[in-house]
Amino acid sequence: MGGGDPYVPESGDASFDVDGYDLTLDYTVRTNRLEGRAVITATAVAALSAFSLDLVGLRATRVRVDGERRTAFRQGPRKLRITPARPIAAGEAFSIEVTYGGAPAPRRSRWGTIGWEELEDGALVASQPTGAPTWFPCNDRPDARAQMRLSVTTDAGYTAVPTGRPVSSVAARGRTTVVAESRVPVATYLAAVHVGRYRESWLAADPRVRVFAPPALAADAARGFARVPEMMALFESAFGPYPQEDCALVVTPDELEIPLEAQGLAVFGANHLAFEQQRLIAHELSHQWFGNSVGIGRWQDIWLNEGFACFAEWLWSERSGGHTVAQKAARHHARLHALPHDLVIADPGPDLMFDDRVYKRGALTLYALRCAVGADTFAQIVHAWVAENRHSLASTDDFRACVARVAGEGAAAVLTPWLDAAPLPPLPAPRR
Ligand SMILES: [Zn+2]
């Protein structure tokens, strides 16, 4: 059975849901060798005589369904096809255990190379949207969120930073094992592990925020993240309480093309700490509300993640004494006006789902709504949206419904020309 998301038709298997991933990983940095064991608890959606997990570039050596040794499996370049010894009934819970390993590497995709990536001295994970199978076997669907436990063992001198609330860190025989758990449901693309010669510190002004940086970059990281507590306070007042169990910010010694968020975690390159890059920090932090807590179940709704994250950048700009939200909106509207108007952001298509126009027009959509309903009602909408969809999946139509409920059908209609048609509507004027 296919995955069901038309943007990534080769990913995932819609015939079962995952309740939890329990991953035990052992990573040797020097040789880039990953040994893993995944215990996946799942529930059949349909009667199953066979099913598949996504796994790319790593070899499965042992597979058991419900502990049964007569489990058959066959591995192709992208899929691990599993035939349990006996069929599984619809609604039945079952477990899958996969022992696997190899030299993890990013996979090529139409969005570039994604997944597990070796650094100069360590590794990172940047999976969005389909990179997760480069480091663990999974049902790689955006709507298949699951609880997660990650145990990562790595070499002495290195620190592993997995997604989740840290549970333990134990050193033995020259290696260190870090365990982290997510009780909130995590999408496969939002699971991550970063490995490097990192030292942990905390932001004094907001000790919820843990920072992992190479000692040589510790001072730069402290400066770069100095205003994160203010961002946190701004976003908590604009969107609602910080929704994640953890907030860890990692700085790699390498320069990275773009920073990237994961569940309760974000990774930045050494090049992202400069003052002019603050907007990127605000962007990634805001994804903890939009994308990671309020999740999307299908990729076509990506504007909900990226539009809000861009709008959050504008809020931070205004708060920190930069351009106001209105100035940002005018500037980006002018830029979009000069670009082709051939994109419908409520369904941009897989090739353009990460196009910058989705991001900026998404933010302009929210700005148009705020202009139409006023700042107070807009704040009510955003708070309701975040609270009602906390750690669950929501769609563009859910957003329209939320707007209609809080501010009326007329307010929801404001969204239509921005979301559902390609021509760029005129720049709205703020309501007085
Ligand atoms: Zn983003």
Side-chain angles (χ1 to χ4, degrees):
M1 190 180 277
D5 190 318
Y7 281 28
V8 290
E10 286 172 351
S11 293
D13 183 335
S15 69
F16 69 100
D17 286 329
V18 175
D19 306 302
Y21 291 94
D22 187 340
L23 305 180
T24 305
L25 307 178
D26 190 308
Y27 182 61
T28 304
V29 177
R30 192 175 47 81
T31 54
N32 186 43
R33 180 80 199 177
L34 181 70
E35 303 292 342
R37 194 174 75 102
V39 178
I40 301 168
T41 46
T43 303
V45 172
L48 298 179
S49 56
F51 58 89
S52 67
L53 291 168
D54 299 276
L55 185 61
V56 176
L58 299 170
R59 180 133 296 273
T61 50
R62 202 185 96 127
V63 179
R64 297 277 187 272
V65 172
D66 288 333
E68 175 60 69
R69 17 176 39 201
R70 286 172 304 149
T71 303
F73 65 99
R74 189 161 48 84
Q75 189 166 5
R78 290 188 294 264
K79 294 280 184 183
L80 181 60
R81 295 188 194 286
I82 300 170
T83 307
R86 56 164 192 88
I88 298 165
E92 193 182 333
F94 62 105
S95 73
I96 315 157
E97 185 189 332
V98 180
T99 306
Y100 64 101
R107 75 187 293 186
R108 268 192 277 275
S109 77
R110 61 168 100 202
W111 309 282
T113 54
I114 48 177
W116 186 285
E117 200 177 315
E118 258 190 287
L119 296 172
E120 212 46 57
D121 191 14
L124 63 70
V125 167
S127 288
Q128 192 183 45
T130 56
T134 64
W135 64 286
F136 67 104
C138 54
N139 189 350
D140 197 19
R141 284 161 29 204
D143 65 333
R145 295 190 170 212
Q147 297 199 330
M148 202 164 271
R149 180 182 172 278
L150 277 164
S151 166
V152 187
T153 301
T154 193
D155 309 313
Y158 291 88
T159 301
V161 190
T163 44
R165 188 177 48 88
V167 172
S168 63
S169 175
V170 177
R173 294 187 295 280
R175 318 203 78 214
T176 303
T177 299
V178 172
V179 177
E181 286 177 358
S182 298
R183 282 166 303 188
V184 301
V186 181
T188 48
Y189 85 92
L190 289 171
V193 180
H194 302 301
V195 179
R197 296 185 183 273
Y198 300 135
R199 189 179 293 159
E200 182 176 6
S201 60
W202 289 263
L203 295 184
D206 190 339
R208 286 178 297 181
V209 184
R210 304 190 295 149
V211 175
F212 293 86
L217 290 175
D220 289 349
R223 262 194 307 278
F225 296 140
R227 301 196 74 177
V228 167
E230 286 170 77
M231 287 178 194
M232 199 66 134
L234 171 67
F235 294 163
E236 289 200 304
S237 94
F239 313 142
Y242 180 72
Q244 305 298 340
E245 299 170 297
D246 191 38
C247 183
L249 307 177
V250 176
V251 179
T252 64
D254 310 51
E255 299 208 337
L256 301 181
E257 207 177 309
I258 49 165
L260 199 79
E261 89 284 3
Q263 196 86 14
L265 175 67
V267 64
F268 298 88
N271 51 315
H272 294 138
L273 297 171
F275 178 73
E276 39 314 336
Q277 307 282 358
Q278 291 285 305
R279 71 171 190 89
L280 298 175
I281 299 171
H283 181 107
E284 302 309 333
L285 184 62
S286 72
H287 274 311
Q288 299 305 340
W289 286 262
F290 305 105
N292 303 6
S293 172
V294 182
I296 53 169
R298 35 175 217 180
W299 288 112
Q300 80 166 80
D301 293 321
I302 187 77
W303 84 271
L304 283 169
N305 296 1
E306 300 303 346
F308 270 108
C310 254
F311 193 77
E313 289 179 34
W314 299 356
L315 290 176
W316 173 248
S317 168
E318 182 169 289
R319 172 59 59 93
S320 60
H323 290 123
T324 63
V325 173
Q327 285 168 332
K328 284 278 187 191
R331 200 158 139 191
H332 285 292
H333 188 275
R335 279 190 194 162
L336 284 183
H337 197 74
L339 295 171
H341 300 199
D342 58 359
L343 190 65
V344 175
I345 65 165
D347 192 4
D351 283 325
L352 295 178
M353 69 189 247
F354 298 115
D355 191 290
D356 194 52
R357 290 174 294 165
V358 173
Y359 290 49
K360 298 304 182 329
R361 185 162 166 161
L364 279 166
T365 302
L366 298 168
Y367 178 70
L369 178 63
R370 195 173 84 157
C371 288
V373 301
D376 290 347
T377 304
F378 180 75
Q380 279 174 32
I381 293 168
V382 175
H383 277 264
W385 176 245
V386 168
E388 287 166 12
N389 299 292
R390 183 183 158 82
H391 292 299
S392 53
L393 301 173
S395 67
T396 300
D397 282 344
D398 293 329
F399 185 65
R400 296 182 218 263
C402 174
V403 171
R405 205 164 52 247
V406 177
E409 293 292 344
V414 170
L415 303 172
T416 308
W418 291 93
L419 295 176
D420 301 329
L424 185 69
L427 180 69
R431 193 169 99 150
R432 169 61 236 134

